[in-house]
Short mmCIF file of all heavy atoms in Angstrom, two decimals:
data_model
loop_
_atom_site.label_atom_id
_atom_site.label_comp_id
_atom_site.label_asym_id
_atom_site.label_seq_id
_atom_site.Cartn_x
_atom_site.Cartn_y
_atom_site.Cartn_z
N GLU B 289 -27.47 6.84 12.73
CA GLU B 289 -26.32 6.33 13.48
C GLU B 289 -26.01 4.99 13.08
O GLU B 289 -26.83 4.23 12.50
CB GLU B 289 -26.64 6.36 14.95
CG GLU B 289 -26.85 7.87 15.40
CD GLU B 289 -27.15 7.99 16.98
OE1 GLU B 289 -27.42 6.99 17.53
OE2 GLU B 289 -27.01 9.09 17.50
N TYR B 290 -24.75 4.65 13.31
CA TYR B 290 -24.26 3.24 12.93
C TYR B 290 -24.12 2.37 14.22
O TYR B 290 -23.42 2.85 15.18
CB TYR B 290 -22.88 3.43 12.24
CG TYR B 290 -22.92 4.13 10.94
CD1 TYR B 290 -22.83 5.50 10.86
CD2 TYR B 290 -23.14 3.42 9.77
CE1 TYR B 290 -22.83 6.18 9.68
CE2 TYR B 290 -23.25 4.07 8.57
CZ TYR B 290 -23.08 5.50 8.50
OH TYR B 290 -23.15 6.14 7.30
N VAL B 291 -24.72 1.28 14.15
CA VAL B 291 -24.55 0.30 15.33
C VAL B 291 -24.25 -1.01 14.86
O VAL B 291 -24.46 -1.40 13.71
CB VAL B 291 -25.84 0.25 16.16
CG1 VAL B 291 -26.27 1.66 16.72
CG2 VAL B 291 -27.05 -0.26 15.31
N LEU B 292 -23.62 -1.81 15.64
CA LEU B 292 -23.17 -3.09 15.36
C LEU B 292 -24.38 -4.06 15.35
O LEU B 292 -25.23 -4.06 16.10
CB LEU B 292 -22.16 -3.70 16.43
CG LEU B 292 -20.79 -3.02 16.50
CD1 LEU B 292 -20.12 -3.21 17.84
CD2 LEU B 292 -19.96 -3.49 15.32
N THR B 293 -24.43 -4.89 14.28
CA THR B 293 -25.37 -5.96 14.16
C THR B 293 -24.94 -7.10 15.12
O THR B 293 -23.81 -7.08 15.50
CB THR B 293 -25.51 -6.50 12.71
OG1 THR B 293 -24.25 -7.05 12.41
CG2 THR B 293 -25.85 -5.41 11.71
N PRO B 294 -25.72 -8.10 15.30
CA PRO B 294 -25.28 -9.33 16.01
C PRO B 294 -24.01 -9.89 15.39
O PRO B 294 -23.05 -10.29 16.14
CB PRO B 294 -26.44 -10.26 15.86
CG PRO B 294 -27.67 -9.41 15.75
CD PRO B 294 -27.25 -8.21 14.97
N LYS B 295 -23.93 -10.00 14.08
CA LYS B 295 -22.70 -10.39 13.38
C LYS B 295 -21.46 -9.53 13.76
O LYS B 295 -20.44 -9.95 14.00
CB LYS B 295 -22.94 -10.38 11.89
CG LYS B 295 -21.80 -10.93 11.00
CD LYS B 295 -22.41 -10.87 9.58
CE LYS B 295 -21.39 -11.10 8.50
NZ LYS B 295 -21.98 -11.13 7.18
N GLY B 296 -21.77 -8.19 13.78
CA GLY B 296 -20.68 -7.21 14.20
C GLY B 296 -20.26 -7.44 15.64
O GLY B 296 -19.11 -7.45 16.03
N GLU B 297 -21.34 -7.70 16.48
CA GLU B 297 -21.09 -7.92 18.02
C GLU B 297 -20.14 -9.01 18.15
O GLU B 297 -19.38 -9.17 19.09
CB GLU B 297 -22.37 -8.00 18.71
CG GLU B 297 -23.16 -6.79 18.82
CD GLU B 297 -23.16 -6.12 20.24
OE1 GLU B 297 -23.04 -6.93 21.19
OE2 GLU B 297 -23.25 -4.85 20.31
N SER B 298 -20.34 -10.02 17.33
CA SER B 298 -19.55 -11.30 17.47
C SER B 298 -18.09 -11.16 16.99
O SER B 298 -17.32 -12.09 17.11
CB SER B 298 -20.22 -12.39 16.75
OG SER B 298 -20.23 -12.38 15.28
N LEU B 299 -17.73 -9.98 16.62
CA LEU B 299 -16.34 -9.63 16.37
C LEU B 299 -15.54 -9.25 17.70
O LEU B 299 -14.35 -9.02 17.64
CB LEU B 299 -16.14 -8.50 15.41
CG LEU B 299 -16.13 -8.82 13.87
CD1 LEU B 299 -16.28 -7.65 13.07
CD2 LEU B 299 -14.86 -9.69 13.49
N PHE B 300 -16.28 -9.29 18.76
CA PHE B 300 -15.69 -8.82 20.04
C PHE B 300 -14.44 -9.64 20.38
O PHE B 300 -13.37 -8.99 20.72
CB PHE B 300 -16.72 -8.96 21.15
CG PHE B 300 -16.44 -8.40 22.37
CD1 PHE B 300 -16.00 -6.96 22.47
CD2 PHE B 300 -16.55 -9.03 23.64
CE1 PHE B 300 -15.62 -6.44 23.73
CE2 PHE B 300 -16.29 -8.32 24.79
CZ PHE B 300 -15.78 -7.16 24.81
N PRO B 301 -14.42 -10.97 20.28
CA PRO B 301 -13.12 -11.66 20.59
C PRO B 301 -11.94 -11.33 19.67
O PRO B 301 -10.80 -11.22 20.11
CB PRO B 301 -13.53 -13.11 20.43
CG PRO B 301 -14.96 -13.23 20.55
CD PRO B 301 -15.45 -11.88 20.07
N VAL B 302 -12.34 -10.87 18.44
CA VAL B 302 -11.23 -10.56 17.49
C VAL B 302 -10.58 -9.10 18.01
O VAL B 302 -9.41 -9.06 18.05
CB VAL B 302 -11.72 -10.30 16.07
CG1 VAL B 302 -10.74 -9.72 15.18
CG2 VAL B 302 -12.26 -11.59 15.47
N ILE B 303 -11.43 -8.30 18.38
CA ILE B 303 -10.92 -6.98 18.87
C ILE B 303 -10.15 -7.11 20.16
O ILE B 303 -9.09 -6.58 20.40
CB ILE B 303 -12.09 -5.95 18.96
CG1 ILE B 303 -12.80 -5.66 17.72
CG2 ILE B 303 -11.54 -4.60 19.62
CD1 ILE B 303 -12.05 -4.83 16.80
N VAL B 304 -10.66 -7.87 21.07
CA VAL B 304 -9.96 -8.19 22.31
C VAL B 304 -8.70 -8.92 22.15
O VAL B 304 -7.69 -8.62 22.76
CB VAL B 304 -11.01 -8.95 23.25
CG1 VAL B 304 -10.26 -9.37 24.51
CG2 VAL B 304 -12.18 -8.15 23.67
N ALA B 305 -8.65 -9.82 21.19
CA ALA B 305 -7.37 -10.57 21.02
C ALA B 305 -6.33 -9.57 20.41
O ALA B 305 -5.19 -9.70 20.90
CB ALA B 305 -7.63 -11.70 20.00
N LEU B 306 -6.71 -8.77 19.51
CA LEU B 306 -5.74 -7.77 19.00
C LEU B 306 -5.33 -6.81 20.04
O LEU B 306 -4.06 -6.40 20.19
CB LEU B 306 -6.37 -6.95 17.73
CG LEU B 306 -6.39 -7.65 16.42
CD1 LEU B 306 -7.41 -6.94 15.48
CD2 LEU B 306 -5.05 -7.75 15.90
N ARG B 307 -6.24 -6.35 20.89
CA ARG B 307 -5.99 -5.51 22.06
C ARG B 307 -4.89 -6.11 23.03
O ARG B 307 -3.96 -5.44 23.34
CB ARG B 307 -7.27 -5.10 22.74
CG ARG B 307 -6.99 -4.30 24.00
CD ARG B 307 -8.35 -3.93 24.64
NE ARG B 307 -9.03 -2.82 23.84
CZ ARG B 307 -8.76 -1.56 23.93
NH1 ARG B 307 -7.77 -1.16 24.67
NH2 ARG B 307 -9.35 -0.68 23.19
N GLN B 308 -5.14 -7.34 23.32
CA GLN B 308 -4.35 -7.96 24.37
C GLN B 308 -2.92 -8.23 23.69
O GLN B 308 -1.88 -8.07 24.41
CB GLN B 308 -4.92 -9.27 24.85
CG GLN B 308 -6.25 -8.96 25.61
CD GLN B 308 -6.85 -10.22 26.21
OE1 GLN B 308 -6.67 -11.29 25.73
NE2 GLN B 308 -7.67 -10.02 27.31
N TRP B 309 -2.91 -8.57 22.43
CA TRP B 309 -1.52 -8.74 21.85
C TRP B 309 -0.80 -7.40 21.84
O TRP B 309 0.39 -7.30 22.17
CB TRP B 309 -1.71 -9.26 20.37
CG TRP B 309 -0.47 -9.68 19.81
CD1 TRP B 309 0.34 -10.77 20.14
CD2 TRP B 309 0.17 -9.10 18.68
NE1 TRP B 309 1.44 -10.81 19.33
CE2 TRP B 309 1.36 -9.81 18.41
CE3 TRP B 309 -0.11 -8.02 17.77
CZ2 TRP B 309 2.25 -9.51 17.32
CZ3 TRP B 309 0.71 -7.73 16.78
CH2 TRP B 309 1.84 -8.42 16.45
N GLY B 310 -1.54 -6.31 21.47
CA GLY B 310 -0.88 -5.01 21.55
C GLY B 310 -0.37 -4.56 22.93
O GLY B 310 0.61 -4.07 23.05
N GLU B 311 -1.27 -4.86 23.87
CA GLU B 311 -0.92 -4.46 25.25
C GLU B 311 0.37 -5.09 25.64
O GLU B 311 1.34 -4.55 26.37
CB GLU B 311 -2.04 -4.82 26.22
CG GLU B 311 -3.29 -3.97 26.13
CD GLU B 311 -4.34 -4.43 27.06
OE1 GLU B 311 -4.25 -5.50 27.75
OE2 GLU B 311 -5.41 -3.77 27.20
N ARG B 312 0.50 -6.40 25.34
CA ARG B 312 1.69 -7.15 25.76
C ARG B 312 2.96 -6.70 25.03
O ARG B 312 4.03 -6.89 25.50
CB ARG B 312 1.47 -8.66 25.51
CG ARG B 312 0.82 -9.36 26.69
CD ARG B 312 0.96 -10.84 26.55
NE ARG B 312 0.37 -11.43 25.41
CZ ARG B 312 -0.79 -11.88 25.32
NH1 ARG B 312 -1.60 -11.91 26.32
NH2 ARG B 312 -1.39 -12.31 24.14
N ASN B 313 2.73 -6.28 23.79
CA ASN B 313 4.03 -6.14 22.96
C ASN B 313 4.47 -4.82 22.54
O ASN B 313 5.56 -4.54 22.05
CB ASN B 313 3.85 -6.97 21.66
CG ASN B 313 3.75 -8.41 21.83
OD1 ASN B 313 4.76 -9.02 22.23
ND2 ASN B 313 2.64 -9.07 21.86
N PHE B 314 3.59 -3.79 22.64
CA PHE B 314 3.85 -2.51 22.14
C PHE B 314 3.89 -1.32 23.04
O PHE B 314 3.80 -0.22 22.54
CB PHE B 314 3.06 -2.27 20.81
CG PHE B 314 3.14 -3.32 19.86
CD1 PHE B 314 2.08 -4.24 19.66
CD2 PHE B 314 4.34 -3.48 19.05
CE1 PHE B 314 2.23 -5.23 18.70
CE2 PHE B 314 4.47 -4.55 18.23
CZ PHE B 314 3.41 -5.36 17.98
N PHE B 315 3.83 -1.57 24.24
CA PHE B 315 3.78 -0.40 25.17
C PHE B 315 4.99 -0.52 26.20
O PHE B 315 5.04 -1.64 26.76
CB PHE B 315 2.56 -0.24 25.92
CG PHE B 315 1.36 0.14 24.96
CD1 PHE B 315 0.74 -0.73 24.13
CD2 PHE B 315 1.14 1.44 24.77
CE1 PHE B 315 -0.20 -0.34 23.17
CE2 PHE B 315 0.23 1.86 23.86
CZ PHE B 315 -0.50 0.96 23.07
N ALA B 316 5.68 0.47 26.41
CA ALA B 316 6.76 0.44 27.49
C ALA B 316 6.11 0.54 28.74
O ALA B 316 4.97 1.11 28.86
CB ALA B 316 7.72 1.53 27.24
N PRO B 317 6.70 0.09 29.82
CA PRO B 317 6.08 0.28 31.13
C PRO B 317 5.88 1.72 31.40
O PRO B 317 6.76 2.55 31.13
CB PRO B 317 7.12 -0.33 32.17
CG PRO B 317 8.03 -1.17 31.29
CD PRO B 317 8.03 -0.69 29.83
N GLY B 318 4.66 2.10 31.87
CA GLY B 318 4.37 3.47 32.23
C GLY B 318 3.97 4.31 31.07
O GLY B 318 3.65 5.38 31.20
N GLU B 319 3.94 3.75 29.82
CA GLU B 319 3.42 4.56 28.64
C GLU B 319 1.91 4.61 28.68
O GLU B 319 1.28 3.64 29.03
CB GLU B 319 3.95 3.73 27.33
CG GLU B 319 3.76 4.64 26.19
CD GLU B 319 4.26 3.96 24.95
OE1 GLU B 319 4.86 2.82 25.02
OE2 GLU B 319 4.07 4.56 23.79
N PRO B 320 1.44 5.80 28.36
CA PRO B 320 -0.05 6.00 28.37
C PRO B 320 -0.68 5.08 27.31
O PRO B 320 -0.20 4.89 26.24
CB PRO B 320 -0.28 7.41 28.02
CG PRO B 320 1.03 8.05 28.11
CD PRO B 320 2.04 7.00 28.08
N HIS B 321 -1.78 4.43 27.64
CA HIS B 321 -2.49 3.62 26.68
C HIS B 321 -3.95 3.47 27.03
O HIS B 321 -4.29 3.75 28.25
CB HIS B 321 -1.85 2.23 26.67
CG HIS B 321 -1.93 1.37 27.87
ND1 HIS B 321 -1.17 1.81 29.05
CD2 HIS B 321 -2.70 0.38 28.31
CE1 HIS B 321 -1.48 0.95 30.04
NE2 HIS B 321 -2.35 0.08 29.63
N SER B 322 -4.80 3.06 26.17
CA SER B 322 -6.20 2.87 26.49
C SER B 322 -6.26 1.36 26.90
O SER B 322 -5.49 0.46 26.45
CB SER B 322 -7.12 3.04 25.27
OG SER B 322 -6.93 1.95 24.29
N GLU B 323 -7.24 1.10 27.67
CA GLU B 323 -7.46 -0.21 28.36
C GLU B 323 -8.89 -0.60 28.30
O GLU B 323 -9.70 0.21 28.69
CB GLU B 323 -6.87 -0.12 29.76
CG GLU B 323 -6.73 -1.47 30.44
CD GLU B 323 -6.09 -1.36 31.86
OE1 GLU B 323 -6.53 -0.70 32.64
OE2 GLU B 323 -4.90 -1.84 31.91
#
Side-chain angles (χ1 to χ4, degrees):
Chain B
E289 293 185 347
Y290 295 89
V291 297
L292 292 161
T293 63
K295 182 173 168 182
E297 291 251 332
S298 68
L299 277 168
F300 192 46
V302 173
I303 300 288
V304 172
L306 281 166
R307 173 179 286 281
Q308 292 184 337
W309 190 65
E311 285 175 357
R312 271 199 297 268
N313 289 290
F314 302 109
F315 290 86
E319 191 178 354
H321 62 289
S322 75
E323 186 175 69

